[in-house]
Amino acid sequence: MPTSTEIVLNFMGQGGKGKADLRDAFHTYFTANTVWENVGLVATTGVNEALAFIDKSELSAGITHFDADTLSIAVEGNRVLTERVDRLLTSEGEPVITLRVMGIFELADGKIAAWRDYFDPSPLKGANA
């Protein structure tokens, strides 16, 4: 079984390959009840709500997937902390927004059970995301 770090890095790596791969990543790595929270903005529960949020981001700002550069990563038990630079991308791979992010992933049985990201949301205001 992959380590917690490998699961998180694999999830983020798959998310950077394109819209279809991101959608597959949510199905592969999320549980039925995964809580994904962009703290202060939106929280989703489960794959369907997460994908609905992605769909809304595409409609409002053209964002279909993301590419993440992991600057630092730390693991404590089932929790993986990441410091990242995330680029929110169009279907053509063009960046819409770049965000510096601190995130935490909590894993259970080899899947992401919770994912919380903390970042300055002000760049999102100009993108209508």
Side-chain angles (χ1 to χ4, degrees):
M1 177 183 264
T3 67
S4 296
T5 301
E6 290 169 334
I7 290 167
V8 168
L9 291 176
N10 290 342
F11 168 73
M12 290 191 297
Q14 189 172 339
K17 293 180 181 177
K19 179 179 178 177
D21 288 307
L22 175 63
R23 295 178 81 80
D24 288 344
F26 278 99
H27 284 287
T28 300
Y29 293 100
F30 272 28
T31 70
N33 297 308
T34 296
V35 174
W36 172 29
E37 183 177 7
N38 290 289
V39 175
L41 295 176
V42 66
T44 66
T45 301
V47 173
N48 291 336
E49 283 188 19
L51 293 177
F53 174 68
I54 296 294
D55 291 342
K56 181 180 175 190
S57 297
E58 181 176 10
L59 287 173
S60 65
I63 298 165
T64 60
H65 62 293
F66 71 94
D67 181 46
D69 285 334
T70 302
L71 305 176
S72 300
I73 195 162
V75 180
E76 168 110 13
N78 69 331
R79 294 180 304 257
V80 179
L81 297 166
T82 60
E83 177 189 17
R84 310 184 315 266
V85 175
D86 287 3
R87 281 172 299 288
L88 308 183
L89 306 170
T90 66
S91 60
E92 294 81 31
E94 295 297 319
V96 175
I97 299 166
T98 300
L99 300 167
R100 292 184 58 113
V101 180
M102 289 294 295
I104 182 166
F105 296 82
E106 296 177 16
L107 287 89
D109 299 321
K111 296 216 177 220
I112 298 168
W115 173 20
R116 290 180 303 283
D117 277 339
Y118 302 85
F119 55 90
D120 175 7
S122 60
L124 296 173
K125 293 176 185 159
N128 297 317

